Amino acid sequence: MASILKLEKNSSYLKIIWSDGEESKFNYLWLRDNCPTAHDKDSRHRMYNILKASQNINPKKYNINSDGKLEIEWSEGKHTSYYDPNWLRENCYTIKNKKKYVSPYQLWDSSLAKNINSINIEHDEILNSKEGLIKWLELLHYKGIAIVKNAPIQKQSAFPVLNRISHTRETFFKTPFEVINVPKPNNSAYTAHELRNHMDLPWFENPPGYQFLHCLINSTEGGDSSAVDGFAVADYLKNNEKEIFETLVNVHLKFRDKDYTQELHRSFYAPAISLTKDGDYNDIRFSVATMDALDCNPDIMEKVYKAHHRFGNLLHDDNFQIKFRLEPGDIFSFNNRRLLHGRTAYNPNSGNRHLQGYYMDRDEIIGRLNFLKK
Ligand code: OGA
Ligand code: ZN
C-alpha cells in the first residue's frame, strides 16, 4: 500500500501526493461526511448529518499524526477526524475515475452450445460448498446463464438450493409458478404452444432480475429450450448497425399485461436496451407477446418498428441463440433482464411436462456474490 508523502490545502479540497506518485483530491464536504466516526457501529448507518455543516467547512489544521493517520481539525463543529490512509486510497475517487471501465459481462453467441458443459454446475456442490455457490453466482452474473444439474425432482425442491443465495421474489403467479399445460391459461407459458424468445414480466417497472426454471418432468415430443444473450445482440448492433442501436436505446416501448385473473392492468414504458452509468448494458426489454400497441410519435413509428423488427429477428438468429433440452433435475437459471428464453411447441398427449419457476431480484445475486468474495 502506498503511503502519504505530502498534503496540500486548496480552496475546496485537500490534495494528497502518494509515495507511488499518484495524486488524490479530497473535497472537504466529502471528507467531513466520511469521517470514520460518522456511522453507527451496529446499524452502519450515518448518524452524522452533513446538511447541518456549512458549505464552507474546511480544515483549520491538518497533518499526518504519529499513528500515520490523516488528522483534520475542522473549521466548525469542534470536531477532529482521523483517516486511515489505506481507506483514503481505496476510496479515492480521483484515481477511480481515471481507470477505464471493464465490463463484468462475458458475452456469448451460439458457439456456447459446443461448450455447454461450461455452464453446468452440480446441485450438491452448491448445497455443500461455498466454492460451488460462488461458481453458480459467477456464471449467473458474468454469463447470465447456468444449468444446475442433478437437482431433486420433487415439487418445490428447488427452495434449498435457491435459498443458498437468498429469498425469492414473489409475484401473483406464486412461488413456484407451475409451467404446465392447463385449460384457460392466464399465460402463454401454461400451454403447449411454442414460446418465442422472450423475457418474463417486461411490463413491471422492475422485472425479476433472475429466473429459475426447475424441470421436474419433460417426456413430451417437443418442448426443447432456447436462450439468447440479449447483451451480445445489443453489442452486435452497437458495432454494426449504430442507428438501430440508438433507436433501441433512446425510444421507450410500451409493455402491458391484461391477465384475466387480475383486477389490475399493469403497464410500463421502457427502451428495449438500457445502459448503465458506465455505458455498459443494463437490461433488455423484449417480448413479442406482451408489447402493447405502441403510441410513439408518428414521425418515428416507422423507424421504431424497423429497429424492433431487426432486434427481434437477431434475437432468434441461429448465430446467436443456443438450443438445448431440459432434463428432469435441471434448473435452468438465467438473468431475465439480459437473456431471452423460449421453447418449441410440444405434444401434450405424447408424455408429461412440468417445470416449476422461481424469480429472484438481481440485488440478491450480485449482493451475495460481493459478500462471498470479500
Ligand atoms: C416460462 C417459460 C419455458 C418452458 O414459464 O416463462 O418461458 O420451457 N417457460 O416452458
Ligand atoms: Zn418465460
Side-chain angles (χ1 to χ4, degrees), residues 201-204 252-259 265-270 285-296 301 304-305 308:
L201 321 189
W203 33 263
F204 267 128
H252 284 60
L253 304 176
K254 187 179 184 190
F255 298 91
R256 66 101 182 86
D257 180 46
K258 284 189 187 150
D259 188 305
H265 287 166
R266 297 179 178 89
S267 168
F268 197 72
Y269 287 91
R285 294 236 187 187
F286 183 89
S287 165
V288 166
T290 60
M291 192 163 83
D292 204 352
L294 292 188
D295 50 10
C296 49
M301 188 60 88
V304 170
Y305 246 97
H308 170 71

PDB file of all heavy atoms in Angstrom, residues 201-204 252-259 265-270 285-296 301 304-305 308:
ATOM      1  N   LEU A 201     -42.323 -10.951 -17.728  1.00  0.00           N
ATOM      2  CA  LEU A 201     -42.866  -9.810 -16.997  1.00  0.00           C
ATOM      3  C   LEU A 201     -42.226  -8.452 -17.333  1.00  0.00           C
ATOM      4  O   LEU A 201     -41.882  -7.674 -16.436  1.00  0.00           O
ATOM      5  CB  LEU A 201     -42.792 -10.057 -15.473  1.00  0.00           C
ATOM      6  CG  LEU A 201     -43.091 -11.482 -14.987  1.00  0.00           C
ATOM      7  CD1 LEU A 201     -43.194 -11.505 -13.469  1.00  0.00           C
ATOM      8  CD2 LEU A 201     -44.353 -12.063 -15.584  1.00  0.00           C
ATOM      9  N   PRO A 202     -42.075  -8.145 -18.651  1.00  0.00           N
ATOM     10  CA  PRO A 202     -41.464  -6.864 -19.038  1.00  0.00           C
ATOM     11  C   PRO A 202     -42.337  -5.660 -18.713  1.00  0.00           C
ATOM     12  O   PRO A 202     -41.866  -4.536 -18.769  1.00  0.00           O
ATOM     13  CB  PRO A 202     -41.295  -6.992 -20.555  1.00  0.00           C
ATOM     14  CG  PRO A 202     -42.334  -7.959 -20.965  1.00  0.00           C
ATOM     15  CD  PRO A 202     -42.489  -8.925 -19.825  1.00  0.00           C
ATOM     16  N   TRP A 203     -43.572  -5.905 -18.356  1.00  0.00           N
ATOM     17  CA  TRP A 203     -44.498  -4.809 -18.044  1.00  0.00           C
ATOM     18  C   TRP A 203     -44.428  -4.374 -16.587  1.00  0.00           C
ATOM     19  O   TRP A 203     -45.154  -3.493 -16.158  1.00  0.00           O
ATOM     20  CB  TRP A 203     -45.928  -5.213 -18.412  1.00  0.00           C
ATOM     21  CG  TRP A 203     -46.190  -6.677 -18.230  1.00  0.00           C
ATOM     22  CD1 TRP A 203     -46.145  -7.638 -19.202  1.00  0.00           C
ATOM     23  CD2 TRP A 203     -46.485  -7.355 -17.006  1.00  0.00           C
ATOM     24  NE1 TRP A 203     -46.395  -8.875 -18.655  1.00  0.00           N
ATOM     25  CE2 TRP A 203     -46.614  -8.734 -17.310  1.00  0.00           C
ATOM     26  CE3 TRP A 203     -46.647  -6.951 -15.684  1.00  0.00           C
ATOM     27  CZ2 TRP A 203     -46.896  -9.700 -16.342  1.00  0.00           C
ATOM     28  CZ3 TRP A 203     -46.929  -7.901 -14.720  1.00  0.00           C
ATOM     29  CH2 TRP A 203     -47.054  -9.260 -15.062  1.00  0.00           C
ATOM     30  N   PHE A 204     -43.506  -4.977 -15.810  1.00  0.00           N
ATOM     31  CA  PHE A 204     -43.234  -4.467 -14.460  1.00  0.00           C
ATOM     32  C   PHE A 204     -42.223  -3.321 -14.556  1.00  0.00           C
ATOM     33  O   PHE A 204     -41.335  -3.346 -15.415  1.00  0.00           O
ATOM     34  CB  PHE A 204     -42.576  -5.548 -13.596  1.00  0.00           C
ATOM     35  CG  PHE A 204     -43.533  -6.381 -12.779  1.00  0.00           C
ATOM     36  CD1 PHE A 204     -43.479  -7.769 -12.846  1.00  0.00           C
ATOM     37  CD2 PHE A 204     -44.452  -5.799 -11.924  1.00  0.00           C
ATOM     38  CE1 PHE A 204     -44.327  -8.556 -12.079  1.00  0.00           C
ATOM     39  CE2 PHE A 204     -45.314  -6.576 -11.158  1.00  0.00           C
ATOM     40  CZ  PHE A 204     -45.251  -7.959 -11.237  1.00  0.00           C
ATOM     41  N   HIS A 252     -38.660   4.711 -25.847  1.00  0.00           N
ATOM     42  CA  HIS A 252     -39.369   3.841 -24.903  1.00  0.00           C
ATOM     43  C   HIS A 252     -40.449   3.051 -25.632  1.00  0.00           C
ATOM     44  O   HIS A 252     -41.279   3.631 -26.327  1.00  0.00           O
ATOM     45  CB  HIS A 252     -40.010   4.677 -23.793  1.00  0.00           C
ATOM     46  CG  HIS A 252     -39.024   5.166 -22.780  1.00  0.00           C
ATOM     47  ND1 HIS A 252     -37.959   5.974 -23.093  1.00  0.00           N
ATOM     48  CD2 HIS A 252     -38.935   4.937 -21.449  1.00  0.00           C
ATOM     49  CE1 HIS A 252     -37.263   6.225 -21.991  1.00  0.00           C
ATOM     50  NE2 HIS A 252     -37.836   5.608 -20.983  1.00  0.00           N
ATOM     51  N   LEU A 253     -40.429   1.748 -25.442  1.00  0.00           N
ATOM     52  CA  LEU A 253     -41.505   0.898 -25.946  1.00  0.00           C
ATOM     53  C   LEU A 253     -42.535   0.766 -24.823  1.00  0.00           C
ATOM     54  O   LEU A 253     -42.281   1.168 -23.685  1.00  0.00           O
ATOM     55  CB  LEU A 253     -40.956  -0.480 -26.332  1.00  0.00           C
ATOM     56  CG  LEU A 253     -39.808  -0.473 -27.341  1.00  0.00           C
ATOM     57  CD1 LEU A 253     -39.288  -1.884 -27.553  1.00  0.00           C
ATOM     58  CD2 LEU A 253     -40.256   0.132 -28.672  1.00  0.00           C
ATOM     59  N   LYS A 254     -43.659   0.196 -25.155  1.00  0.00           N
ATOM     60  CA  LYS A 254     -44.705   0.058 -24.133  1.00  0.00           C
ATOM     61  C   LYS A 254     -45.067  -1.410 -23.972  1.00  0.00           C
ATOM     62  O   LYS A 254     -45.265  -2.118 -24.968  1.00  0.00           O
ATOM     63  CB  LYS A 254     -45.937   0.862 -24.557  1.00  0.00           C
ATOM     64  CG  LYS A 254     -47.011   0.928 -23.500  1.00  0.00           C
ATOM     65  CD  LYS A 254     -48.204   1.750 -23.976  1.00  0.00           C
ATOM     66  CE  LYS A 254     -49.224   1.881 -22.839  1.00  0.00           C
ATOM     67  NZ  LYS A 254     -50.482   2.469 -23.331  1.00  0.00           N
ATOM     68  N   PHE A 255     -45.121  -1.863 -22.735  1.00  0.00           N
ATOM     69  CA  PHE A 255     -45.476  -3.259 -22.443  1.00  0.00           C
ATOM     70  C   PHE A 255     -46.710  -3.268 -21.555  1.00  0.00           C
ATOM     71  O   PHE A 255     -46.925  -2.346 -20.762  1.00  0.00           O
ATOM     72  CB  PHE A 255     -44.301  -3.954 -21.747  1.00  0.00           C
ATOM     73  CG  PHE A 255     -43.077  -4.003 -22.620  1.00  0.00           C
ATOM     74  CD1 PHE A 255     -42.132  -2.985 -22.569  1.00  0.00           C
ATOM     75  CD2 PHE A 255     -42.892  -5.039 -23.525  1.00  0.00           C
ATOM     76  CE1 PHE A 255     -41.017  -3.010 -23.397  1.00  0.00           C
ATOM     77  CE2 PHE A 255     -41.775  -5.070 -24.351  1.00  0.00           C
ATOM     78  CZ  PHE A 255     -40.837  -4.052 -24.286  1.00  0.00           C
ATOM     79  N   ARG A 256     -47.493  -4.296 -21.676  1.00  0.00           N
ATOM     80  CA  ARG A 256     -48.691  -4.360 -20.837  1.00  0.00           C
ATOM     81  C   ARG A 256     -49.093  -5.804 -20.541  1.00  0.00           C
ATOM     82  O   ARG A 256     -48.788  -6.726 -21.276  1.00  0.00           O
ATOM     83  CB  ARG A 256     -49.848  -3.649 -21.521  1.00  0.00           C
ATOM     84  CG  ARG A 256     -50.330  -4.322 -22.818  1.00  0.00           C
ATOM     85  CD  ARG A 256     -51.584  -5.138 -22.634  1.00  0.00           C
ATOM     86  NE  ARG A 256     -51.996  -5.801 -23.872  1.00  0.00           N
ATOM     87  CZ  ARG A 256     -51.541  -6.975 -24.264  1.00  0.00           C
ATOM     88  NH1 ARG A 256     -50.625  -7.592 -23.580  1.00  0.00           N
ATOM     89  NH2 ARG A 256     -51.984  -7.536 -25.377  1.00  0.00           N
ATOM     90  N   ASP A 257     -49.776  -5.914 -19.431  1.00  0.00           N
ATOM     91  CA  ASP A 257     -50.290  -7.201 -19.015  1.00  0.00           C
ATOM     92  C   ASP A 257     -51.796  -7.066 -18.875  1.00  0.00           C
ATOM     93  O   ASP A 257     -52.273  -6.135 -18.246  1.00  0.00           O
ATOM     94  CB  ASP A 257     -49.683  -7.579 -17.674  1.00  0.00           C
ATOM     95  CG  ASP A 257     -50.192  -8.919 -17.189  1.00  0.00           C
ATOM     96  OD1 ASP A 257     -50.229  -9.854 -18.008  1.00  0.00           O
ATOM     97  OD2 ASP A 257     -50.555  -9.022 -16.008  1.00  0.00           O
ATOM     98  N   LYS A 258     -52.539  -7.967 -19.501  1.00  0.00           N
ATOM     99  CA  LYS A 258     -54.004  -7.912 -19.320  1.00  0.00           C
ATOM    100  C   LYS A 258     -54.476  -9.270 -18.848  1.00  0.00           C
ATOM    101  O   LYS A 258     -55.302  -9.926 -19.463  1.00  0.00           O
ATOM    102  CB  LYS A 258     -54.690  -7.517 -20.629  1.00  0.00           C
ATOM    103  CG  LYS A 258     -54.561  -6.053 -20.949  1.00  0.00           C
ATOM    104  CD  LYS A 258     -55.435  -5.670 -22.114  1.00  0.00           C
ATOM    105  CE  LYS A 258     -55.165  -4.231 -22.544  1.00  0.00           C
ATOM    106  NZ  LYS A 258     -55.401  -4.060 -23.981  1.00  0.00           N
ATOM    107  N   ASP A 259     -53.924  -9.692 -17.742  1.00  0.00           N
ATOM    108  CA  ASP A 259     -54.185 -11.010 -17.190  1.00  0.00           C
ATOM    109  C   ASP A 259     -55.633 -11.082 -16.697  1.00  0.00           C
ATOM    110  O   ASP A 259     -56.059 -10.253 -15.893  1.00  0.00           O
ATOM    111  CB  ASP A 259     -53.203 -11.209 -16.024  1.00  0.00           C
ATOM    112  CG  ASP A 259     -53.224 -12.602 -15.483  1.00  0.00           C
ATOM    113  OD1 ASP A 259     -54.312 -13.074 -15.113  1.00  0.00           O
ATOM    114  OD2 ASP A 259     -52.140 -13.209 -15.407  1.00  0.00           O
ATOM    115  N   HIS A 265     -54.485  -3.602 -14.525  1.00  0.00           N
ATOM    116  CA  HIS A 265     -53.804  -3.650 -15.819  1.00  0.00           C
ATOM    117  C   HIS A 265     -52.443  -3.008 -15.659  1.00  0.00           C
ATOM    118  O   HIS A 265     -52.333  -1.787 -15.582  1.00  0.00           O
ATOM    119  CB  HIS A 265     -54.618  -2.923 -16.898  1.00  0.00           C
ATOM    120  CG  HIS A 265     -55.830  -3.693 -17.313  1.00  0.00           C
ATOM    121  ND1 HIS A 265     -56.856  -3.139 -18.046  1.00  0.00           N
ATOM    122  CD2 HIS A 265     -56.176  -4.985 -17.106  1.00  0.00           C
ATOM    123  CE1 HIS A 265     -57.787  -4.050 -18.256  1.00  0.00           C
ATOM    124  NE2 HIS A 265     -57.408  -5.177 -17.693  1.00  0.00           N
ATOM    125  N   ARG A 266     -51.423  -3.832 -15.578  1.00  0.00           N
ATOM    126  CA  ARG A 266     -50.079  -3.298 -15.384  1.00  0.00           C
ATOM    127  C   ARG A 266     -49.485  -2.915 -16.740  1.00  0.00           C
ATOM    128  O   ARG A 266     -49.658  -3.641 -17.718  1.00  0.00           O
ATOM    129  CB  ARG A 266     -49.190  -4.338 -14.704  1.00  0.00           C
ATOM    130  CG  ARG A 266     -49.661  -4.719 -13.304  1.00  0.00           C
ATOM    131  CD  ARG A 266     -48.745  -5.760 -12.701  1.00  0.00           C
ATOM    132  NE  ARG A 266     -49.126  -6.125 -11.341  1.00  0.00           N
ATOM    133  CZ  ARG A 266     -49.977  -7.091 -11.030  1.00  0.00           C
ATOM    134  NH1 ARG A 266     -50.554  -7.798 -11.973  1.00  0.00           N
ATOM    135  NH2 ARG A 266     -50.258  -7.358  -9.772  1.00  0.00           N
ATOM    136  N   SER A 267     -48.756  -1.807 -16.737  1.00  0.00           N
ATOM    137  CA  SER A 267     -48.234  -1.279 -17.998  1.00  0.00           C
ATOM    138  C   SER A 267     -46.981  -0.477 -17.718  1.00  0.00           C
ATOM    139  O   SER A 267     -46.900   0.206 -16.687  1.00  0.00           O
ATOM    140  CB  SER A 267     -49.336  -0.394 -18.597  1.00  0.00           C
ATOM    141  OG  SER A 267     -48.831   0.366 -19.646  1.00  0.00           O
ATOM    142  N   PHE A 268     -46.001  -0.556 -18.599  1.00  0.00           N
ATOM    143  CA  PHE A 268     -44.756   0.179 -18.346  1.00  0.00           C
ATOM    144  C   PHE A 268     -44.048   0.531 -19.653  1.00  0.00           C
ATOM    145  O   PHE A 268     -44.015  -0.268 -20.575  1.00  0.00           O
ATOM    146  CB  PHE A 268     -43.815  -0.647 -17.458  1.00  0.00           C
ATOM    147  CG  PHE A 268     -42.735   0.192 -16.838  1.00  0.00           C
ATOM    148  CD1 PHE A 268     -43.045   1.078 -15.812  1.00  0.00           C
ATOM    149  CD2 PHE A 268     -41.424   0.119 -17.287  1.00  0.00           C
ATOM    150  CE1 PHE A 268     -42.060   1.881 -15.241  1.00  0.00           C
ATOM    151  CE2 PHE A 268     -40.433   0.921 -16.719  1.00  0.00           C
ATOM    152  CZ  PHE A 268     -40.758   1.798 -15.697  1.00  0.00           C
ATOM    153  N   TYR A 269     -43.505   1.730 -19.702  1.00  0.00           N
ATOM    154  CA  TYR A 269     -42.691   2.182 -20.835  1.00  0.00           C
ATOM    155  C   TYR A 269     -41.211   2.009 -20.492  1.00  0.00           C
ATOM    156  O   TYR A 269     -40.767   2.459 -19.426  1.00  0.00           O
ATOM    157  CB  TYR A 269     -42.909   3.665 -21.107  1.00  0.00           C
ATOM    158  CG  TYR A 269     -44.231   4.022 -21.738  1.00  0.00           C
ATOM    159  CD1 TYR A 269     -45.332   4.348 -20.956  1.00  0.00           C
ATOM    160  CD2 TYR A 269     -44.360   4.059 -23.123  1.00  0.00           C
ATOM    161  CE1 TYR A 269     -46.536   4.704 -21.531  1.00  0.00           C
ATOM    162  CE2 TYR A 269     -45.570   4.412 -23.713  1.00  0.00           C
ATOM    163  CZ  TYR A 269     -46.652   4.734 -22.915  1.00  0.00           C
ATOM    164  OH  TYR A 269     -47.841   5.084 -23.495  1.00  0.00           O
ATOM    165  N   ALA A 270     -40.460   1.405 -21.401  1.00  0.00           N
ATOM    166  CA  ALA A 270     -39.005   1.303 -21.208  1.00  0.00           C
ATOM    167  C   ALA A 270     -38.359   1.049 -22.558  1.00  0.00           C
ATOM    168  O   ALA A 270     -38.980   0.447 -23.449  1.00  0.00           O
ATOM    169  CB  ALA A 270     -38.662   0.170 -20.248  1.00  0.00           C
ATOM    170  N   ARG A 285     -35.380  -5.206 -22.756  1.00  0.00           N
ATOM    171  CA  ARG A 285     -36.836  -5.457 -22.631  1.00  0.00           C
ATOM    172  C   ARG A 285     -37.336  -5.903 -23.985  1.00  0.00           C
ATOM    173  O   ARG A 285     -37.312  -5.126 -24.944  1.00  0.00           O
ATOM    174  CB  ARG A 285     -37.600  -4.194 -22.267  1.00  0.00           C
ATOM    175  CG  ARG A 285     -37.274  -3.692 -20.928  1.00  0.00           C
ATOM    176  CD  ARG A 285     -38.435  -3.532 -20.014  1.00  0.00           C
ATOM    177  NE  ARG A 285     -37.895  -2.873 -18.840  1.00  0.00           N
ATOM    178  CZ  ARG A 285     -38.557  -2.650 -17.729  1.00  0.00           C
ATOM    179  NH1 ARG A 285     -39.809  -3.029 -17.609  1.00  0.00           N
ATOM    180  NH2 ARG A 285     -37.987  -2.054 -16.711  1.00  0.00           N
ATOM    181  N   PHE A 286     -37.751  -7.125 -24.024  1.00  0.00           N
ATOM    182  CA  PHE A 286     -38.248  -7.628 -25.302  1.00  0.00           C
ATOM    183  C   PHE A 286     -39.242  -8.751 -25.073  1.00  0.00           C
ATOM    184  O   PHE A 286     -38.961  -9.713 -24.352  1.00  0.00           O
ATOM    185  CB  PHE A 286     -37.086  -8.155 -26.163  1.00  0.00           C
ATOM    186  CG  PHE A 286     -37.539  -8.609 -27.515  1.00  0.00           C
ATOM    187  CD1 PHE A 286     -37.587  -7.724 -28.588  1.00  0.00           C
ATOM    188  CD2 PHE A 286     -37.961  -9.920 -27.709  1.00  0.00           C
ATOM    189  CE1 PHE A 286     -38.040  -8.146 -29.827  1.00  0.00           C
ATOM    190  CE2 PHE A 286     -38.416 -10.346 -28.956  1.00  0.00           C
ATOM    191  CZ  PHE A 286     -38.452  -9.452 -30.014  1.00  0.00           C
ATOM    192  N   SER A 287     -40.411  -8.614 -25.654  1.00  0.00           N
ATOM    193  CA  SER A 287     -41.394  -9.683 -25.616  1.00  0.00           C
ATOM    194  C   SER A 287     -42.462  -9.384 -26.652  1.00  0.00           C
ATOM    195  O   SER A 287     -43.227  -8.431 -26.505  1.00  0.00           O
ATOM    196  CB  SER A 287     -42.029  -9.777 -24.221  1.00  0.00           C
ATOM    197  OG  SER A 287     -43.201 -10.553 -24.282  1.00  0.00           O
ATOM    198  N   VAL A 288     -42.453 -10.173 -27.713  1.00  0.00           N
ATOM    199  CA  VAL A 288     -43.469 -10.001 -28.760  1.00  0.00           C
ATOM    200  C   VAL A 288     -44.859 -10.173 -28.148  1.00  0.00           C
ATOM    201  O   VAL A 288     -45.805  -9.458 -28.489  1.00  0.00           O
ATOM    202  CB  VAL A 288     -43.232 -11.026 -29.899  1.00  0.00           C
ATOM    203  CG1 VAL A 288     -44.440 -11.121 -30.811  1.00  0.00           C
ATOM    204  CG2 VAL A 288     -41.989 -10.644 -30.694  1.00  0.00           C
ATOM    205  N   ALA A 289     -44.984 -11.109 -27.212  1.00  0.00           N
ATOM    206  CA  ALA A 289     -46.303 -11.460 -26.669  1.00  0.00           C
ATOM    207  C   ALA A 289     -46.926 -10.343 -25.853  1.00  0.00           C
ATOM    208  O   ALA A 289     -48.153 -10.210 -25.819  1.00  0.00           O
ATOM    209  CB  ALA A 289     -46.187 -12.726 -25.817  1.00  0.00           C
ATOM    210  N   THR A 290     -46.113  -9.528 -25.181  1.00  0.00           N
ATOM    211  CA  THR A 290     -46.709  -8.559 -24.259  1.00  0.00           C
ATOM    212  C   THR A 290     -46.343  -7.107 -24.567  1.00  0.00           C
ATOM    213  O   THR A 290     -46.561  -6.228 -23.731  1.00  0.00           O
ATOM    214  CB  THR A 290     -46.342  -8.862 -22.781  1.00  0.00           C
ATOM    215  OG1 THR A 290     -44.922  -8.801 -22.640  1.00  0.00           O
ATOM    216  CG2 THR A 290     -46.842 -10.222 -22.349  1.00  0.00           C
ATOM    217  N   MET A 291     -45.802  -6.853 -25.776  1.00  0.00           N
ATOM    218  CA  MET A 291     -45.619  -5.454 -26.154  1.00  0.00           C
ATOM    219  C   MET A 291     -47.007  -4.884 -26.446  1.00  0.00           C
ATOM    220  O   MET A 291     -47.827  -5.516 -27.109  1.00  0.00           O
ATOM    221  CB  MET A 291     -44.688  -5.302 -27.355  1.00  0.00           C
ATOM    222  CG  MET A 291     -44.261  -3.848 -27.556  1.00  0.00           C
ATOM    223  SD  MET A 291     -42.818  -3.655 -28.602  1.00  0.00           S
ATOM    224  CE  MET A 291     -43.590  -3.732 -30.217  1.00  0.00           C
ATOM    225  N   ASP A 292     -47.272  -3.702 -25.921  1.00  0.00           N
ATOM    226  CA  ASP A 292     -48.580  -3.083 -26.106  1.00  0.00           C
ATOM    227  C   ASP A 292     -48.638  -2.398 -27.479  1.00  0.00           C
ATOM    228  O   ASP A 292     -47.615  -2.284 -28.165  1.00  0.00           O
ATOM    229  CB  ASP A 292     -48.806  -2.058 -24.984  1.00  0.00           C
ATOM    230  CG  ASP A 292     -50.289  -1.793 -24.735  1.00  0.00           C
ATOM    231  OD1 ASP A 292     -51.129  -2.289 -25.520  1.00  0.00           O
ATOM    232  OD2 ASP A 292     -50.601  -1.106 -23.746  1.00  0.00           O
ATOM    233  N   ALA A 293     -49.814  -1.937 -27.864  1.00  0.00           N
ATOM    234  CA  ALA A 293     -49.948  -1.113 -29.077  1.00  0.00           C
ATOM    235  C   ALA A 293     -49.112   0.143 -28.847  1.00  0.00           C
ATOM    236  O   ALA A 293     -49.416   0.927 -27.944  1.00  0.00           O
ATOM    237  CB  ALA A 293     -51.401  -0.757 -29.302  1.00  0.00           C
ATOM    238  N   LEU A 294     -48.053   0.294 -29.620  1.00  0.00           N
ATOM    239  CA  LEU A 294     -47.139   1.421 -29.382  1.00  0.00           C
ATOM    240  C   LEU A 294     -47.832   2.733 -29.701  1.00  0.00           C
ATOM    241  O   LEU A 294     -48.686   2.805 -30.593  1.00  0.00           O
ATOM    242  CB  LEU A 294     -45.881   1.291 -30.240  1.00  0.00           C
ATOM    243  CG  LEU A 294     -44.935   0.141 -29.902  1.00  0.00           C
ATOM    244  CD1 LEU A 294     -43.648   0.281 -30.714  1.00  0.00           C
ATOM    245  CD2 LEU A 294     -44.623   0.118 -28.403  1.00  0.00           C
ATOM    246  N   ASP A 295     -47.445   3.768 -28.968  1.00  0.00           N
ATOM    247  CA  ASP A 295     -48.053   5.078 -29.207  1.00  0.00           C
ATOM    248  C   ASP A 295     -46.978   6.157 -29.296  1.00  0.00           C
ATOM    249  O   ASP A 295     -47.169   7.270 -28.839  1.00  0.00           O
ATOM    250  CB  ASP A 295     -49.082   5.396 -28.123  1.00  0.00           C
ATOM    251  CG  ASP A 295     -48.532   5.197 -26.712  1.00  0.00           C
ATOM    252  OD1 ASP A 295     -47.299   4.999 -26.580  1.00  0.00           O
ATOM    253  OD2 ASP A 295     -49.307   5.247 -25.746  1.00  0.00           O
ATOM    254  N   CYS A 296     -45.826   5.792 -29.881  1.00  0.00           N
ATOM    255  CA  CYS A 296     -44.785   6.824 -30.017  1.00  0.00           C
ATOM    256  C   CYS A 296     -45.139   7.782 -31.154  1.00  0.00           C
ATOM    257  O   CYS A 296     -46.063   7.536 -31.938  1.00  0.00           O
ATOM    258  CB  CYS A 296     -43.396   6.216 -30.151  1.00  0.00           C
ATOM    259  SG  CYS A 296     -43.216   4.924 -31.346  1.00  0.00           S
ATOM    260  N   MET A 301     -42.478   6.290 -35.810  1.00  0.00           N
ATOM    261  CA  MET A 301     -43.047   4.940 -35.706  1.00  0.00           C
ATOM    262  C   MET A 301     -42.390   3.952 -36.688  1.00  0.00           C
ATOM    263  O   MET A 301     -42.065   2.818 -36.319  1.00  0.00           O
ATOM    264  CB  MET A 301     -44.559   4.974 -35.932  1.00  0.00           C
ATOM    265  CG  MET A 301     -45.254   3.648 -35.658  1.00  0.00           C
ATOM    266  SD  MET A 301     -45.044   3.071 -33.955  1.00  0.00           S
ATOM    267  CE  MET A 301     -46.418   3.869 -33.120  1.00  0.00           C
ATOM    268  N   VAL A 304     -38.931   3.078 -35.422  1.00  0.00           N
ATOM    269  CA  VAL A 304     -39.010   2.280 -34.193  1.00  0.00           C
ATOM    270  C   VAL A 304     -39.411   0.845 -34.518  1.00  0.00           C
ATOM    271  O   VAL A 304     -38.800  -0.117 -34.022  1.00  0.00           O
ATOM    272  CB  VAL A 304     -40.012   2.921 -33.195  1.00  0.00           C
ATOM    273  CG1 VAL A 304     -40.301   1.981 -32.027  1.00  0.00           C
ATOM    274  CG2 VAL A 304     -39.465   4.246 -32.691  1.00  0.00           C
ATOM    275  N   TYR A 305     -40.420   0.695 -35.403  1.00  0.00           N
ATOM    276  CA  TYR A 305     -40.854  -0.667 -35.737  1.00  0.00           C
ATOM    277  C   TYR A 305     -39.773  -1.447 -36.467  1.00  0.00           C
ATOM    278  O   TYR A 305     -39.570  -2.637 -36.228  1.00  0.00           O
ATOM    279  CB  TYR A 305     -42.175  -0.669 -36.523  1.00  0.00           C
ATOM    280  CG  TYR A 305     -43.254  -1.316 -35.672  1.00  0.00           C
ATOM    281  CD1 TYR A 305     -44.124  -0.538 -34.922  1.00  0.00           C
ATOM    282  CD2 TYR A 305     -43.324  -2.708 -35.556  1.00  0.00           C
ATOM    283  CE1 TYR A 305     -45.055  -1.124 -34.082  1.00  0.00           C
ATOM    284  CE2 TYR A 305     -44.248  -3.301 -34.713  1.00  0.00           C
ATOM    285  CZ  TYR A 305     -45.113  -2.508 -33.986  1.00  0.00           C
ATOM    286  OH  TYR A 305     -46.012  -3.104 -33.150  1.00  0.00           O
ATOM    287  N   HIS A 308     -37.150  -2.502 -33.891  1.00  0.00           N
ATOM    288  CA  HIS A 308     -37.707  -3.593 -33.086  1.00  0.00           C
ATOM    289  C   HIS A 308     -37.690  -4.901 -33.891  1.00  0.00           C
ATOM    290  O   HIS A 308     -37.323  -5.966 -33.378  1.00  0.00           O
ATOM    291  CB  HIS A 308     -39.138  -3.220 -32.689  1.00  0.00           C
ATOM    292  CG  HIS A 308     -39.914  -4.324 -32.068  1.00  0.00           C
ATOM    293  ND1 HIS A 308     -39.651  -4.801 -30.800  1.00  0.00           N
ATOM    294  CD2 HIS A 308     -40.946  -5.069 -32.539  1.00  0.00           C
ATOM    295  CE1 HIS A 308     -40.494  -5.779 -30.517  1.00  0.00           C
ATOM    296  NE2 HIS A 308     -41.285  -5.972 -31.554  1.00  0.00           N
TER     297      HIS A 308
END
